[in-house]
């Protein structure tokens, strides 16, 4: 039986410790590295070429969504398994769009975590029940008419991600915590988004985004 090589990426040492202990209890799993920020996760993933990266979403320097994108650009064969405290629709969709193969919420027990790592390594998609429900709702939701075609086309990937969080009702402080960036960075992004959309308030931005099918 081949060994599954795993890289852990999370900025909380105690969580990494517990996760390492849980996964290492399986002789078919080898922890090949640990990263405490998104930039280091990308560097180690590219250098080590693990089978699976267990990825948190909120980390310093680079958030888990962007780290996932960058890893898969360089190492498309790596399976990204997101393990995070967030189970909202915006987080799940952002991770899946970035290429994550699985999504679990922190608090999953040892057996569930091991099943997820094995599934991801085998090329299967695995999601917590809450994440799967968000995806099912997204797939089954009726298409909304686009009254302002192309209005979102000028946004960058990060601007689109932040606009989704704004539309989900998150405050600047919550977005800062979610993405692991500074408050000033979030304010600058939102100002740019408002300028591109031609709006002056969050409510106007949300209305325009929803009209465009966000």
């Amino acid at each position: 039986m081949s060994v599954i090589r795993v890289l852990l990426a999370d900025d909380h040492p105690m969580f990494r410790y517990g996760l390492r202990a849980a996964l290492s209890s399986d002789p078919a799993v080898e922890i090949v590295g640990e990263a405490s920020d998104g930039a280091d996760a990308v560097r180690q993933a590219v250098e080590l070429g693990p089978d699976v990266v267990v990825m948190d979403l909120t980390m310093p320097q680079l958030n888990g969504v962007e780290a996932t994108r960058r890893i898969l650009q360089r190492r498309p064969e790596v399976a990204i398994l997101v393990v995070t405290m967030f189970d909202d629709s915006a987080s799940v969709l952002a991770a899946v769009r970035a290429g994550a193969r699985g999504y679990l919420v922190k608090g999953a027990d040892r057996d569930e975590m091991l099943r997820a790592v094995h599934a991801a390594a085998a090329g299967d998609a695995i999601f917590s029940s809450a994440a799967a429900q968000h995806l099912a709702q997204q797939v089954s939701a009726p298409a909304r008419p686009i009254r302002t075609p192309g209005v979102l086309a000028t946004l960058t990937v990060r601007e689109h991600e932040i606009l989704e969080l704004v539309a989900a009702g998150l405050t600047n402080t919550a977005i800062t915590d979610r993405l692991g960036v500074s408050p000033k960075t979030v304010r600058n992004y939102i100002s740019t988004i408002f300028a591109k959309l031609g709006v002056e308030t969050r409510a106007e931005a949300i209305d325009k985004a929803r009209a465009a099918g966000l």
Side-chain angles (χ1 to χ4, degrees):
M1 179 174 60
S2 60
V3 173
I4 300 172
R5 302 172 69 252
V6 177
L7 170 66
L8 305 180
D10 194 288
D11 62 333
H12 292 95
M14 289 304 297
F15 181 77
R16 291 201 312 274
Y17 174 84
L19 190 57
R20 181 172 66 250
L23 297 181
S24 296
S25 67
D26 184 344
V29 175
E30 176 188 2
I31 306 301
V32 297
E34 296 185 25
S36 59
D37 63 68
D40 192 34
V42 174
R43 182 187 63 79
Q44 290 197 50
V46 171
E47 291 181 359
L48 300 173
D51 300 303
V52 178
V53 176
V54 178
M55 180 78 74
D56 188 18
L57 287 186
T58 304
M59 291 185 290
Q61 297 193 36
L62 199 66
N63 69 75
V65 171
E66 186 60 31
T68 294
R69 289 193 187 99
R70 295 189 187 186
I71 290 171
L72 295 178
Q73 286 174 353
R74 303 281 298 279
R75 288 278 193 174
E77 74 279 6
V78 173
I80 308 293
L81 173 62
V82 170
V83 179
T84 181
M85 62 185 292
F86 301 109
D87 65 352
D88 58 283
S89 178
S91 296
V92 175
L93 294 176
V96 171
R97 287 168 179 162
R101 194 169 291 172
Y103 194 106
L104 296 182
V105 177
K106 288 182 178 179
D109 61 27
R110 169 189 172 276
D111 291 342
E112 185 177 5
M113 195 68 68
L114 283 170
R115 281 196 301 271
V117 167
H118 279 269
D124 297 329
I126 184 162
F127 296 91
S128 68
S129 57
Q133 185 175 8
H134 287 311
L135 291 174
Q137 290 172 346
Q138 182 71 11
V139 171
S140 62
R144 287 171 289 189
I146 299 178
R147 294 189 291 274
T148 51
V151 70
L152 303 182
T154 60
L155 301 184
T156 65
V157 172
R158 174 48 65 87
E159 289 165 355
H160 197 283
E161 180 182 2
I162 289 176
L163 181 57
E164 285 185 331
L165 296 177
V166 170
L170 273 68
T171 63
N172 282 16
T173 300
I175 294 173
T176 295
D177 293 340
R178 175 74 58 86
L179 300 182
V181 298
S182 71
K184 181 179 179 181
T185 297
V186 171
R187 289 196 301 270
N188 289 341
Y189 269 118
I190 290 179
S191 294
T192 300
I193 292 168
F194 283 9
K196 288 183 175 181
L197 297 182
V199 300
E200 296 182 356
T201 68
R202 296 173 88 90
E204 290 174 347
I206 292 170
D207 287 344
K208 200 157 191 177
R210 288 174 176 167
L214 182 67

